[in-house]
Amino acid sequence: MNEGLSVFVSLTLQQREARLRRCGLEPAMTPSGRAQLELPGISTAVVNPIHTGYSRQTGRIHRQQYIVSVFNLQVVDIQTLGTGQAMRQKAGIHQPGARAVINGRDGGSGGRLAAGGSSGGVPGGVQGAGSQTVINGRDGGNEDWLAEGGSGGVPLNEYNRRGTAGQLREIAVRALYNLGLDSGEVRLTALGGRQFAVEDVIPLTHADAGKWPTAYQAASQALSTALAAEQPGRTGLLMGMDPEFLLLRESTGRVVPASRYLPLDGAAGCDAGPPGTRGTFPVAELRPAPRGEPRALLAQLMSAARTADRLIADRELRWRAGGMPLPGWALGGHLHFSGVTLTAPLLRALDNYLALPLMLLEDAGAAARRPRYGVLGDFRIQPHGGFEYRTLPSFLVSPVIARGAVFLAHLIVSRYEDLALRPLDREELHAAYYSGDKTPLRAAFTPLQAQLRGLPGYAQAARYIEPLLGYIAAERTWDESRDIRGLWRTQEAAPAASIEVQTPTHPLT
């Protein structure tokens, strides 16, 4: 728990704010940042009545505050605290920068948001092999958003349950994770328009385990039980994926909606696009059936690519993949895992040993997808009992890159406890990742690839991973302006059981 506590402690408040801004959050941890939350001269007509209050005496907005409690990257409790400084003092909220023990706010001055029908003692979404606990039912949920009482008598139906609750959860977890933590409390202040500022982060510590609220204790016990049940090497690991690509008519430079050719479901399907494309499904996806072995999963990927090639009858359309092959079109290479317990060390291993090397290979334009997409530690709990790792760009740029990424991911998740290096914790390298500065990251990756090569099982995966590492050593990058359709069609004649490392002409420069 909180293996990066030393990282958090070493950061100044200004550095913490800088980190949060890099990953797309709005911080208000310093006096200058908090001053922006109380702006004079704003009329009540523009004040969100649910999340804010307005004082005619001072001409200031007093904004709704929330305390989000997180254990192992999962929300175990959310409390609403009312508005204004007086409510903060009444609730006993710690001031920014404090290292105080997290108190169990089982009383509090505001309402508690529903957590599985309980005001405490709900395990924090800890899932083991084949099991899952979802807090508040928010992955398809059906709960009322506020527990009884609420804040200021606001009717339950005035909250956008899915939007607001989801935002609070994602912001709190992202804030903790990017500051080196996985468990603690985050104080969020509403800015209106479903935006929230991070005012304070307080880590949970082992030293005070006897004083933890019931929800933390239950989540800790569930996590210990799940980890104890895992087999060495995680033989029950199951992997899936849904990498994305675009269909481009080169003569016009316009994206053709994938929904013209591909169904919503299936091994080759379509999905929603970026903001502004509502009502259409412009993005194409390959969704191979999950498998326990990388070779079998890649065979399913090849089959899905052939299905897409058959269904997309217009041969004039170009296929584009990568991080951002066209301005405004960010694509992802999402990987799914089950049969393994999601923990912060696992997520950080994926960031440092998988996302970092793929970032070294990406087209220079792919950095533009961050921080809206591609942030470190981006995950989503899935109904199948596992989780989706969402940080990667679309690795469909090349079958060779895809094979390397899949085998590398499988190796990392199987042996992540042996992968303890965390270069992305360093402030200058954290900044380099988000800005796309590859030079310092190349040097930082050298000891990581040596560690990967020493893992049990690497010898069997080497012929798939070594070409990817070779590209990194040669400082090659993929070209997102290239058509990848032909690359995946050339795999058609190869039997699924005889997938080998090849070096076809592919979009790397």
Side-chain angles (χ1 to χ4, degrees):
M1 184 192 72
N2 282 341
E3 67 170 17
L5 182 60
S6 60
V7 176
F8 175 81
V9 172
S10 69
L11 297 171
T12 66
L13 285 178
Q14 289 76 15
Q15 288 173 325
R16 292 175 195 173
E17 283 198 339
R19 281 203 172 203
L20 296 180
R21 288 193 186 96
R22 278 183 218 130
C23 65
L25 301 182
E26 183 65 41
M29 308 178 83
T30 61
S32 60
R34 291 195 301 276
Q36 299 300 310
L37 303 183
E38 296 181 348
L39 302 177
I42 300 180
S43 71
T44 54
V46 299
V47 175
N48 183 324
I50 296 176
H51 297 291
T52 58
Y54 181 75
S55 170
R56 295 184 182 275
Q57 288 74 23
T58 64
R60 289 182 174 180
I61 291 178
H62 297 289
R63 301 178 184 276
Q64 177 71 61
Q65 294 196 325
Y66 304 87
I67 294 291
V68 184
S69 301
V70 178
F71 186 88
N72 185 42
L73 305 174
Q74 302 298 310
V75 171
V76 297
D77 193 28
I78 305 177
Q79 283 187 272
T80 175
L81 299 176
T83 60
Q85 183 66 30
M87 290 299 290
R88 288 184 227 173
Q89 294 170 349
K90 183 178 179 182
I93 306 304
H94 303 299
Q95 293 304 308
R99 298 289 191 273
V101 179
I102 298 176
N103 55 8
R105 296 186 177 91
D106 293 326
S109 60
R112 174 175 275 107
L113 302 190
S118 170
S119 62
V122 181
V126 180
Q127 80 279 358
S131 66
Q132 179 193 20
T133 302
V134 179
I135 293 303
N136 294 0
R138 290 186 190 120
D139 288 283
N142 56 9
E143 84 291 355
D144 287 333
W145 204 79
L146 281 175
E148 60 179 345
S151 173
V154 177
L156 301 186
N157 59 11
E158 288 192 34
Y159 281 90
N160 183 315
R161 172 185 54 79
R162 192 173 185 85
T164 304
Q167 284 292 96
L168 289 170
R169 178 187 59 189
E170 291 176 13
I171 292 171
V173 171
R174 184 180 293 190
L176 280 167
Y177 186 83
N178 275 271
L179 294 176
L181 306 172
D182 57 75
S183 301
E185 289 187 344
V186 182
R187 185 169 81 235
L188 301 177
T189 299
L191 301 179
R194 296 188 193 172
Q195 296 182 350
F196 301 87
V198 180
E199 278 210 70
D200 197 10
V201 172
I202 307 167
L204 195 68
T205 64
H206 277 297
D208 301 301
K211 303 176 184 178
W212 288 357
T214 304
Y216 283 122
Q217 295 179 22
S220 178
Q221 181 58 50
L223 176 61
S224 298
T225 301
L227 290 174
E230 291 189 355
Q231 299 297 316
R234 294 172 182 87
T235 55
L237 178 63
L238 195 65
M239 280 186 63
M241 65 172 80
D242 55 350
E244 300 171 333
F245 63 99
L246 294 176
L247 306 181
L248 177 70
R249 191 169 301 283
E250 207 162 38
S251 60
T252 63
R254 298 180 66 87
V255 171
V256 175
S259 53
R260 291 187 184 178
Y261 304 96
L262 303 177
L264 286 173
D265 300 318
C270 61
D271 198 7
T277 59
R278 287 186 176 183
T280 63
F281 295 86
V283 177
E285 284 188 342
L286 299 183
R287 306 166 186 146
R291 291 291 184 267
E293 294 294 330
R295 284 169 58 91
L297 178 60
L298 287 165
Q300 291 295 312
L301 179 64
M302 301 300 179
S303 176
R306 292 193 292 270
T307 299
D309 184 61
R310 175 175 54 82
L311 293 175
I312 302 170
D314 189 339
R315 299 294 163 180
E316 299 300 317
L317 294 179
R318 303 292 183 257
W319 293 13
R320 295 280 190 89
M324 188 171 279
L326 293 172
W329 290 90
L331 300 180
H334 306 154
L335 295 174
H336 299 249
F337 303 95
S338 61
V340 61
T341 303
L342 174 63
T343 64
L346 168 55
L347 208 54
R348 294 190 195 282
L350 286 168
D351 283 346
N352 286 273
Y353 293 85
L354 181 61
L356 192 161
L358 285 191
M359 179 266 186
L360 295 177
L361 290 171
E362 71 182 15
D363 189 298
R369 69 192 284 259
R370 298 185 287 270
R372 185 175 181 90
Y373 303 99
V375 297
L376 294 171
D378 191 5
F379 75 94
R380 183 178 293 170
I381 299 297
Q382 290 295 316
H384 54 61
F387 71 96
E388 177 184 18
Y389 182 63
R390 299 172 54 82
T391 299
L392 304 181
S394 175
F395 41 77
L396 294 178
V397 287
S398 159
V400 175
I401 297 296
R403 290 168 188 153
V406 169
F407 270 87
L408 188 53
H410 188 273
L411 185 67
I412 291 167
V413 176
S414 298
R415 300 286 179 178
Y416 75 88
E417 61 269 43
D418 298 324
L419 301 172
L421 298 179
R422 301 287 186 263
L424 291 173
D425 281 350
R426 291 161 50 187
E427 182 63 6
E428 71 276 12
L429 297 183
H430 189 271
Y433 172 83
Y434 281 98
S435 68
D437 183 4
K438 299 180 180 181
T439 301
L441 293 171
R442 285 195 181 96
F445 182 62
T446 300
L448 275 69
Q449 66 180 357
Q451 203 174 42
L452 287 167
R453 286 170 171 146
L455 288 177
Y458 186 82
Q460 292 76 19
R463 60 178 179 172
Y464 303 99
I465 299 175
E466 282 297 326
L468 186 149
L469 299 182
Y471 295 149
I472 294 173
E475 299 187 8
R476 299 178 69 180
T477 58
W478 64 61
D479 179 1
E480 298 187 357
S481 68
R482 295 280 297 274
D483 179 17
I484 64 166
R485 185 171 192 167
L487 301 179
W488 291 94
R489 292 185 69 192
T490 59
Q491 308 300 312
E492 193 168 354
S498 62
I499 296 173
E500 300 291 341
V501 171
Q502 302 173 34
T503 53
T505 302
H506 54 74
L508 273 85
T509 57

